[in-house]
């Protein structure tokens, strides 16, 4: 069997659009593009894209339209809500789905709708967080961070000590379900049980977790149940601008609307408003109807394929990559690097090449290998700074440079993140390219742009000539 032939298992993987089209290389040739930026966004499931195309003729605004199309779209929108809630084991008697644009909006919605006193109340989050689960809380409460070790294991003893110390002032523990930088899966139910023991609620940022592991919010009778879950569908092969927040109906009922406007009310007078019940109260304006339908369809596709099969496939790619990296000099992997210890690790693998700028490595992979990775700090600056042992002085130095338009010294790393459409030969090609980089055998002369910090090959620009244009 040639390395590009599909195994029987791979043939069962749902078809994903756009995982392997030709991309230009620096030497003028074309290569099959390899997309390893799935932790940022995933390409669409064909089933989802077809589903939306089939519904397009019936597009109509929902809820108060009286025509056939509107009533159909309203029906589908409400069905989508049920599918999403069911996917995460939510309780339809108590919990509801609030559609949002993405995880960032969902976490902002929660931070804005929680009743918090910024001078007294405490929100505990962790050192593993994406900025979207850190910054929204900062001016709403006193924020503390659970420490993590180099493998991303959170210090739960520390968490319990802080919960006890604050004697009921911790209102929320908001934690990621998995690190977008080092891929560590966190023990969300254990964290939830601790939070509940001290009367705090738990918010789980499931942006990375939900695409890669089965998640069960669990019944309220279980101390480890999850109060709120937030995620983005563009990380689950449904890149149509949608995500969701799941939480108690009563929370969204008691809270002021996150945004105000059309659709959120039962009646408005010039001097009063009668707010609608949730979810309408928290869904101002025309929603992203197709985004909502697409995300529910994507979850169905994932369920049909089986979360255990998603785990199996991604774990095999991760094991192959980590095993291969061990043989390449100068590579340093962050987080769990042992290929035989992957139960609590997703396939987001972040690494550095000693002595090389992260943007330089990423540029060579793209221009000479046709490989899309991500580099930088992955919207998790405190974590990256701690992993790279950046001192306060170093931080001050590069931050001073940023202020005068020089981003050349911003620290960072390179991240390859695997998705369902990836195959073993692609991992092998990435390893091959990293060997070339470690041996300094790349071809181009790369010049760093002062403003952006990016490296660009001298005398070469991507041309988009054959791609659709306006
Ligand atoms: C853990 C985590 N939380 C939040 C986000 C923000 O997601 P979005 O950009 O969809 O709002 C991301 C994005 O990468 C993430 O990885």
């Amino acid at each position: 069997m040639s390395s590009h032939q599909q195994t029987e298992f791979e043939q069962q993987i749902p078809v994903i659009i756009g995982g392997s089209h030709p991309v230009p290389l620096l030497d003028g040739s074309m290569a099959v593009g390899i997309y390893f930026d799935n932790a940022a966004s995933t390409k669409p499931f064909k089933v989802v894209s077809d589903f939306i195309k089939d519904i397009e003729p019936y597009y109509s605004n929902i809820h108060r339209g009286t025509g056939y199309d509107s009533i159909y779209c309203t029906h589908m929108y409400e069905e989508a809500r049920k599918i999403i809630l069911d996917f995460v084991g939510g309780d339809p008697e108590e919990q509801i789905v609030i559609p949002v644009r993405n995880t960032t909006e969902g976490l902002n919605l929660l931070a804005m709708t929680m009743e918090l006193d910024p001078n007294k109340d405490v929100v505990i989050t962790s050192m593993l967080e994406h900025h979207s689960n850190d910054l929204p809380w900062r001016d709403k409460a006193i924020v503390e961070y659970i420490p993590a070790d180099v493998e991303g294991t959170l210090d739960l003893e520390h968490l319990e000590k802080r919960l006890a110390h604050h004697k009921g002032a911790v209102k929320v523990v908001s934690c990621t379900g998995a690190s977008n930088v080092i891929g560590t899966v966190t023990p969300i139910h254990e964290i939830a049980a601790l939070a509940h023991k001290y009367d705090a609620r738990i918010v789980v940022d499931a942006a990375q977790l939900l695409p890669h592991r089965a998640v069960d919010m669990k019944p309220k009778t279980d101390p480890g149940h999850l109060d709120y879950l937030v995620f983005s569908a563009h990380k689950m092969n449904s890149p149509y601008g949608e995500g969701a927040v799941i939480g108690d109906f009563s929370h969204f009922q008691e809270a002021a609307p996150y945004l105000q406007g059309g659709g959120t009310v039962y009646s408005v007078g010039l001097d009063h408003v009668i707010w609608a019940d949730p979810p309408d109260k928290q869904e101002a304006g025309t929603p992203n109807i197709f985004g909502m339908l697409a995300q529910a369809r994507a979850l169905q596709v994932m369920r049909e394929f089986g979360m255990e099969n998603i785990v199996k496939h991604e774990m095999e790619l991760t094991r192959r990559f980590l095993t291969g990296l061990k043989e390449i000099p100068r590579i340093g992997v962050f987080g769990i690097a042992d290929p035989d210890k992957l139960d609590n690790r997703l396939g987001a693998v972040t690494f550095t090449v000693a002595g090389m700028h992260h943007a330089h490595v990423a540029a060579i992979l793209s221009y000479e290998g046709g490989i899309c990775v991500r580099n930088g700090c992955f919207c998790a600056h405190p974590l990256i700074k701690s992993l790279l042992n950046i001192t306060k002085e170093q931080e001050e130095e590069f931050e001073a440079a940023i202020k005068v338009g020089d981003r050349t010294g911003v620290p960072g790393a390179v991240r390859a993140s695997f998705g369902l459409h990836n195959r073993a030969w692609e991992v092998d090609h990435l390893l091959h390219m990293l060997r070339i980089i470690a041996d300094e055998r790349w071809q181009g002369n790369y010049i760093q742009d002062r403003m952006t910090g990016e490296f660009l090959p001298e005398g070469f620009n991507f041309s988009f000539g054959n791609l659709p244009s306006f």
Side-chain angles (χ1 to χ4, degrees), residues 39-40 102-105 130 132 176 178 180 205 207-208 232 234-235:
N102 49 37
T103 304
T104 304
E105 186 177 44
H130 188 281
S132 295
T176 191
N180 64 313
D205 169 355
Q208 293 298 332
S232 299
H234 68 92
K235 295 185 195 291

Side-chain angles (χ1 to χ4, degrees), residues 325-379:
L325 282 182
K326 282 198 205 177
E327 306 300 320
I328 305 177
R330 298 172 61 190
I331 304 267
V333 174
F334 292 120
I336 298 164
D338 183 345
D340 297 319
K341 230 178 104 185
L342 299 183
D343 285 350
N344 292 325
R345 195 204 204 293
L346 304 182
V349 181
T350 293
F351 56 92
T352 51
V353 180
M356 281 190 72
H357 195 287
H358 49 96
H360 194 186
V361 175
I364 299 169
L365 290 175
S366 172
Y367 289 100
E368 300 186 31
I371 300 170
C372 173
V373 292
R374 185 159 291 260
N375 70 283
C377 296
F378 319 107
C379 302

Side-chain angles (χ1 to χ4, degrees), residues 152-332:
T153 308
L154 294 174
D155 185 344
L156 298 194
E157 263 179 42
H158 175 94
L159 170 62
E160 176 144 27
K161 274 193 201 135
R162 297 312 292 167
L163 283 160
H165 168 85
H166 287 296
K167 299 190 173 68
V170 179
K171 301 296 182 216
V172 178
V173 176
S174 189
C175 187
T176 191
S179 162
N180 64 313
V181 179
I182 52 177
T184 309
V185 175
T186 61
I188 47 176
H189 296 294
E190 236 180 288
I191 296 169
L194 282 175
H196 293 140
K197 185 172 161 191
Y198 293 90
D199 289 332
R201 286 164 291 175
I202 174 131
V203 172
V204 173
D205 169 355
Q208 293 298 332
L209 186 66
L210 201 62
H212 307 287
R213 292 287 189 277
V215 174
D216 181 1
M217 292 185 75
K218 299 196 176 199
K220 287 283 166 65
T221 47
D222 186 322
H225 71 267
L226 310 180
D227 298 302
Y228 304 93
L229 198 72
V230 191
F231 59 87
S232 299
H234 68 92
K235 295 185 195 291
M236 290 182 288
N237 305 102
S238 180
Y240 302 98
E242 195 70 335
V245 178
I246 300 172
D248 277 357
F249 176 91
S250 58
H251 167 79
F252 298 113
Q253 173 81 300
E254 283 155 25
Y258 166 57
L259 296 174
Q260 303 186 10
T264 57
V265 298
Y266 287 141
S267 181
V268 178
L270 287 180
D271 57 357
H272 67 277
V273 178
I274 301 177
W275 298 107
D277 287 318
D280 293 0
K281 184 178 182 183
Q282 300 295 348
E283 280 190 61
T286 298
N288 175 0
I289 299 161
F290 280 172
M292 178 69 167
L293 306 193
Q295 78 171 336
R297 190 73 189 97
L299 295 181
Q300 281 184 325
V301 174
M302 287 165 66
R303 183 173 263 181
E304 281 155 21
F305 179 57
M307 289 310 291
E308 67 289 357
N309 287 323
I310 293 177
V311 174
K312 172 178 146 77
H313 178 65
E314 293 175 354
M315 225 182 241
E316 273 168 21
L317 298 175
T318 311
R319 185 173 299 116
R320 193 177 188 96
F321 187 49
L322 289 174
T323 306
L325 282 182
K326 282 198 205 177
E327 306 300 320
I328 305 177
R330 298 172 61 190
I331 304 267

